[in-house]
Structure formats: C-alpha cells, structure tokens
Amino acid sequence: MVTGDNLQTAKAIALECGILKSDADATEPNLIEGKRFRALSEEDRKEVAEKISVWNETRLFLVVQQGFSSLLNSHHVQVMGRSSPNDKLLLVQALRSKGHVVAVTGDGTNDAPALHEADIGLAMGIQGTEVAKESSDIIILDDNFASVVKVVRWGRSVYANIQKFIQFQLTVNVAALIINVVAAVSAGDVPLNAVQLLWVNLIMDTLGALALATEPPTDHLMRRAPVGRREPLVTNIMWRNLLIQALYQVTVLLILNFRGEQILHLEHETREHAVKVKNTLIFNAFVLCQVFNEFNARKPDEINVFRGVHKNRLFISIIGFTLVLQVIIIFFLGKFVSTVRLSWQLWLVSIVIGLISWPLAALGKLIPVPEKPFGDYFSKKLPRRRNQQECS
C-alpha cells in the first residue's frame, strides 16, 4: 500500500485491512516513509522495491491455494506512507526495471503519474478524478477492489482462449500441409483439393474461433501462475499437444492415401471410383479429427476435456452445425467438392479415426514438458552466428 497519508494513518488502515498483522509488524522494513525511499540511490530503491508488493509465481500460487494469510506471513508486503506522486512513480519505475509487471490502483490526481507509468493502471470510477481516469487503462466503475479479481479472471480467460485457438489452428495447418506436400511429391496427386481445404479453413478460422473464443472463465485459470512479460504465446504444452495430434493425423491419413485401396478392399472397383472413395474417406476423417480435436483444445493442460462443456451452449451448437454441414457435403455436394457418398462402414471408420484423438490427447498430457520454452534453445544460437558474421 502506497499512500500520501502520514505513517500513523497508513499503519491504522494497513492493520484494519490485514496488510499488517500486528503492531510488531508496523516497523521497517514493513513500514517505510516516502522521503526515506526517495532519498535512496537508484540501486537501493530497486532493492526496496523488490520487497514491496512483488508477487512472483510461487507466492501467487500459495495465496490462491492457502489464502491471503500465506502472503502476510511472507514479510514481503510493505506500506509506504507520506509518499509524494514522484515516490509512487519511482516505485513503479523501479519495479518495472526489475522485469515485473506492475498494476497500480488510484483515484487522485497525485496518482496519475504512477497510473500512466504502470503496465496496468486502474482508476476508481466514482471517487476518481478525471486526471486519474485519463491516465489509467481500466476504470473500476463500482469503486470495489473485488472487481479487480474479475478483471484478472476475464483477462486470463481471453488470453487462454487465444492460446486454445492457436493450438487448434496450428494443428490443422501442420497436418493439412504435410499430408498434401508428401502426397504431391511422392504420388503427384493430393488427397485434399482446394474446395475441401476451403471448407477446412472455414471450420478452423470462423467456426473454430467462435467456439473456442466463447469459453467462459474458470477457477482453474485463477490457480495458474501468472504469465511473465517475456513468456511466449505458444507454450511448450501447446507444442506437445499439437505435435501429437498432427503426427497422429498425418500418419493415419497418409497410410490411407498410399494403402487405402488395399485396406478398404477397393481393388475390384474402377481406378477412378476407388481413388474418389479413398480421397473422400481421407477428407471426411480429416474433418472429424478436427471436430474431436476441438474438444481437446478446450483444455490444453487438463485430461478431462469435457468439464464444463455443457455450460457453453454455443460451443455445442457449433460442433453440431459443423457435423450437419459435413454430412450435407458428403451426401449432396459431391460434384462441387469432388466427393462420393460413403457407406455406413466408412462413416464408422471416419468416426473411429477422429475418436482416437481423445484418449491420445489424454495420454499425451501425461508426458512432461521442459520449463524452458522451446524458442530459447534457438534464440541463443542466433546472436552467436550474427556476431561471428560481424567479426568476419
């Protein structure tokens, strides 16, 4: 808590709020005056700033799991009294220079510099001054600090939904690209034509985005560690999930492409009809794989991908709408999409191929991933090569 009130007032409010547990805690370094902080050197301010309301990943996890008391017992929450607007600004700058993501709440004109400098500035909508509101990023309309929790909850939900869509989109793109490239290079023909890929893109870009973007926030999101400023958008967990699914789809569909006529016993059919049946099965199985994988994308780090799915009626409606359109395409739009009608046995084969993605995803999530992002293994090598070129 950083306030312009004197130390006694700041101490009383901190004790009432539970920031300080007792009078014994109301001493330095838990309680500091603004002029003392201001008089410190830049390096000393950074040292003090590290102890003022710094929530690292482990501590935030403990707060969520064990309650607010665990944070109070950490002796890292401090109170600054008799602080000037410049003190608040110096504190924010010191925290940001140490790589922390800083959020500041305020309502007065003297809070404006800190609100503007912070990564996220939250101003009070009722008691806040116009200067504070203009300097902030978010305005709390009801002046209730509990609303900040809702902001974090929905912010994490939006970020998580973007990640879900990216994982789903990359899986479709990687699988479709490899299947068509390998088939074209080896056989001179592609199993998925342009019209079929347009339909797949419609599932991926429009319907898939709409389904995954409407996932409501969950308590599981609040139990996660906060995302760091420099953490990649595509995490190691996402890479693991999409590579497992893409590898499965590529393997199965390429086997059907090269050995499908023998596996499906189409030798007695004409060459043209056998190829159409095989390609239609590949197209149908590929689409159903994406439909089933859309459930997997809902919960990238959870084994139970069906938790809460009944609460998202739009997601269920989009899945149903996609399946209905796929049936219509196979049965009635054969000339337009270059497909033929499939027997119920081949429909069953397509469903089984797509259904396997569920247990495969559950097993894949048991595979541990390194904490270090995959991109870091390559980013450190690039500067070395660049430096060698400059020296030469």
Side-chain angles (χ1 to χ4, degrees):
M1 184 178 73
V2 185
T3 176
D5 296 327
N6 61 60
L7 287 180
Q8 295 303 318
T9 304
K11 171 185 171 182
I13 294 174
L15 289 170
E16 183 179 352
C17 295
I19 296 176
L20 297 175
K21 293 182 64 178
S22 63
D23 289 331
D25 292 332
T27 57
E28 289 192 17
N30 295 329
L31 184 64
I32 190 172
E33 193 172 3
K35 65 179 181 179
R36 290 206 57 181
F37 178 77
R38 190 187 322 137
L40 296 173
S41 65
E42 184 176 352
E43 290 301 321
D44 290 338
R45 279 200 298 268
K46 291 180 181 179
E47 291 291 332
V48 174
E50 279 289 300
K51 302 176 183 178
I52 299 180
S53 304
V54 178
W55 291 36
N56 59 31
E57 295 182 1
T58 305
R59 289 177 56 221
L60 181 60
F61 182 76
L62 288 172
V63 170
V64 175
Q65 292 291 329
Q66 302 174 9
F68 191 64
S69 60
S70 64
L71 179 64
L72 301 181
N73 293 331
S74 64
H75 298 290
H76 281 282
V77 178
Q78 294 194 355
V79 177
M80 185 190 296
R82 297 294 293 176
S83 62
S84 66
N86 191 50
D87 295 336
K88 300 176 183 178
L89 178 62
L90 289 173
L91 175 59
V92 173
Q93 290 174 340
L95 286 169
R96 293 192 68 190
S97 67
K98 300 291 285 186
H100 296 293
V101 178
V102 184
V104 174
T105 60
D107 58 359
T109 303
N110 60 342
D111 298 319
L115 288 169
H116 183 269
E117 181 69 18
D119 294 283
I120 298 294
L122 300 105
M124 300 300 164
I126 300 175
Q127 298 294 333
T129 63
E130 288 301 319
V131 176
K133 293 178 185 178
E134 288 292 331
S135 302
S136 65
D137 303 290
I138 299 173
I139 299 176
I140 305 174
L141 297 177
D142 56 0
D143 281 15
N144 186 356
F145 279 104
S147 300
V148 178
V149 180
K150 295 181 181 178
V151 172
V152 174
R153 187 182 180 91
W154 279 99
R156 290 190 174 196
S157 178
V158 171
Y159 187 84
N161 289 345
I162 292 173
Q163 288 184 313
K164 294 172 187 177
F165 172 66
I166 290 175
Q167 177 185 307
F168 175 70
Q169 186 183 47
L170 286 176
T171 304
V172 180
N173 282 335
V174 170
L177 178 64
I178 295 177
I179 290 169
N180 269 8
V181 168
V182 172
V185 170
S186 59
D189 194 16
V190 292
L192 301 172
N193 60 41
V195 178
Q196 292 169 357
L197 287 176
L198 284 174
W199 166 234
V200 171
N201 281 330
L202 179 62
I203 299 174
M204 177 184 67
D205 292 334
T206 308
L207 299 179
L210 188 60
L212 295 173
T214 55
E215 281 291 307
T218 61
D219 294 334
H220 176 72
L221 292 174
M222 299 301 290
R223 289 192 289 268
R224 286 183 182 178
V227 179
R229 185 194 300 274
R230 297 180 180 178
E231 288 188 26
L233 183 61
V234 182
T235 63
N236 290 355
I237 291 177
M238 294 168 62
W239 280 117
R240 177 197 63 193
N241 295 342
L242 74 89
L243 288 176
I244 289 173
Q245 293 295 327
L247 183 63
Y248 163 70
Q249 293 177 21
V250 168
T251 302
V252 172
L253 298 182
L254 282 180
I255 290 174
L256 285 177
N257 184 66
F258 294 115
R259 293 288 182 265
E261 296 178 20
Q262 292 80 12
I263 296 173
L264 302 174
H265 305 292
L266 299 174
E267 296 91 343
H268 60 282
E269 301 284 347
T270 62
R271 172 67 179 170
E272 182 181 356
H273 181 71
V275 170
K276 282 191 174 182
V277 171
K278 178 194 69 175
N279 288 348
T280 302
L281 176 63
I282 292 173
F283 168 61
N284 198 43
F286 184 70
V287 170
L288 292 181
C289 279
Q290 312 320 318
V291 172
F292 285 101
N293 191 41
E294 206 158 349
F295 286 88
N296 295 329
R298 290 185 65 247
K299 307 288 184 180
D301 55 350
E302 295 183 56
I303 294 179
N304 184 8
V305 297
F306 304 106
R307 181 183 299 171
V309 70
H310 62 282
K311 297 179 181 179
N312 192 347
R313 296 181 179 178
L314 183 59
F315 181 88
I316 299 297
S317 301
I318 290 174
I319 294 295
F321 181 67
T322 303
L323 290 173
V324 170
L325 285 181
Q326 181 64 16
V327 172
I328 292 174
I329 287 173
I330 297 298
F331 277 96
F332 303 107
L333 299 178
K335 290 184 178 180
F336 177 68
V337 192
S338 301
T339 58
V340 294
R341 293 190 178 187
L342 297 176
S343 62
W344 67 270
Q345 292 95 336
L346 294 182
W347 270 99
L348 186 60
V349 170
S350 302
I351 294 172
V352 170
I353 291 173
L355 194 62
I356 292 176
S357 66
W358 284 348
L360 187 65
L363 291 174
K365 290 171 184 176
L366 300 177
I367 301 174
V369 296
E371 294 183 3
K372 184 178 180 180
F374 289 144
D376 289 356
Y377 293 100
F378 304 99
S379 61
K380 290 186 177 181
K381 295 180 180 180
L382 292 177
R384 291 181 180 177
R385 293 183 61 186
R386 199 172 291 134
N387 291 335
Q388 291 176 358
Q389 291 175 359
E390 289 176 358
C391 293
S392 60

